[in-house]
Amino acid sequence: MKLKFIYLSNPPVNALSAKLRTDLLDQVKRAEKDVRVNGIVIEGKGSMFCGGADIKEFDSGGFAEGPTIHEIIEKLARCRKPTIAAIHGTALGGGLELALGCQYRVALASTSFGLPEINLGLLPAGGGTQLLPRLIGLDHAMRIITTGKHFGAVEAHKLGIVDYLTETKDNIEGLCEEICQNHKPNEVDCLLDRPVKDGHMADEIYNKHLSIVRKRWRGAVAPIECLKLTRKSCQLSFHEGSQAESDAFIRLCAGCKLLPKTLG
């Protein structure tokens, strides 16, 4: 039995282009069927894991081609074999969302994380508003999404975003092998189906962050949309919430004139 390493390769930031998404999903499906493979590891080539969406595709419409990030996340999260994100450098935007879709996350202690879309007047549109609250709770998720700030691997580990930290890249393969050996499919609950742990306080948490973002982002639309969508993680299935997320993203992109007229 062996690990299957799948590398994100689209320099300089391993942006999630239509071609990369297509190749990634195809490789995951093939690895899942390969009887010789006992675990799937997603890793970035070069200096980082993944910097997020391919912004060039906003003009060309390429972001609407090939599988969506939501489809890839669904496959990774529900894969019959353990899926692991081996993260180094940075995991930003769609890169972090892709990592959240994996069943486990291993990171170098020097890694930087973030969902910076709000700084562009946008929102995380690769499942971030639905995945993050299911993983770490609504309160922390709203803070991360509506500030857009980067945070380090130590904080990510403390919050539960990262499962294992390591100081050197040399240890990553050994950690991944250990994860696969200890993986018990029947004892791992799928993140997509997980309830939000502080969801019973959704209104209180929403109102707290609404007050904060109104002062921080005066008159801006995206922060309010982010809060509304993140709260929907307590009310909707992952599939329903992701559709709402995509719809809101297209509206915001059209408002920012980032989409071709045929899409926006």
Side-chain angles (χ1 to χ4, degrees):
M1 302 294 281
K2 63 178 183 178
L3 293 172
K4 170 62 178 177
F5 280 81
I6 300 174
Y7 294 98
L8 308 175
S9 182
N10 185 16
V13 299
N14 297 326
L16 295 167
S17 65
K19 182 181 185 305
L20 188 150
R21 297 194 308 272
T22 299
D23 291 346
L24 174 58
L25 184 58
D26 180 62
Q27 288 192 67
V28 171
K29 287 179 176 178
R30 285 191 279 116
E32 184 180 29
K33 293 176 181 177
D34 191 335
V35 296
R36 299 167 298 175
V37 171
N38 70 336
I40 301 167
V41 182
I42 312 296
E43 188 172 358
K45 281 278 191 181
S47 63
M48 67 171 64
F49 180 72
C50 177
D54 191 339
I55 297 178
K56 296 191 298 292
E57 293 189 341
F58 287 9
D59 289 328
S60 67
F63 83 97
E65 299 173 2
T68 66
I69 184 71
H70 296 122
E71 291 175 73
I72 297 170
I73 285 170
E74 185 105 25
K75 170 52 69 176
L76 290 168
R78 300 196 189 280
C79 187
R80 296 189 303 274
K81 294 176 180 176
T83 55
I84 307 166
I87 312 166
H88 72 286
T90 54
L92 301 176
L96 175 53
E97 291 167 311
L98 180 66
L100 293 175
C102 291
Q103 297 165 21
Y104 302 93
R105 285 156 295 280
V106 175
L108 289 185
S110 56
T111 306
S112 179
F113 298 83
L115 292 171
E117 290 87 349
I118 199 167
N119 297 308
L120 298 174
L122 299 174
L123 54 86
T129 65
Q130 305 304 300
L131 292 169
L132 198 58
R134 284 177 163 87
L135 184 63
I136 65 172
L138 194 63
D139 194 23
H140 288 307
M142 284 187 170
R143 173 179 58 81
I144 287 171
I145 291 170
T146 60
T147 61
K149 293 181 179 179
H150 295 195
F151 54 96
V154 173
E155 182 180 353
H157 184 251
K158 183 178 178 180
L159 288 171
I161 294 173
V162 169
D163 300 297
Y164 300 91
L165 283 182
T166 178
E167 294 293 334
T168 67
K169 208 169 180 181
D170 294 339
N171 295 334
I172 285 181
E173 185 169 352
L175 280 170
C176 292
E177 288 176 348
E178 183 180 336
I179 288 169
C180 292
Q181 289 170 3
N182 295 328
H183 177 74
K184 295 180 175 59
N186 295 333
E187 296 180 11
V188 177
D189 64 322
C190 180
L191 179 61
L192 309 190
D193 304 324
R194 195 178 299 174
V196 178
K197 60 185 177 182
D198 52 357
H200 62 288
M201 300 172 61
D203 289 343
E204 179 183 336
I205 294 170
Y206 173 84
N207 288 330
K208 180 184 83 170
H209 287 280
L210 182 62
S211 176
I212 294 170
V213 302
R214 279 178 170 165
K215 293 175 183 176
R216 181 182 177 90
W217 304 97
R218 293 182 184 277
V221 176
I224 309 298
E225 286 286 348
C226 285
L227 289 179
K228 290 178 179 178
L229 286 165
T230 307
R231 182 168 62 172
K232 285 182 186 296
S233 65
C234 305
Q235 306 159 341
L236 303 178
S237 68
F238 173 76
H239 178 75
E240 293 168 333
S242 296
Q243 185 59 57
E245 186 183 73
S246 297
D247 293 343
F249 180 75
I250 289 173
R251 288 196 305 272
L252 288 174
C253 281
C256 294
K257 296 181 172 55
L258 290 176
L259 292 182
K261 290 182 180 178
T262 54
L263 291 171

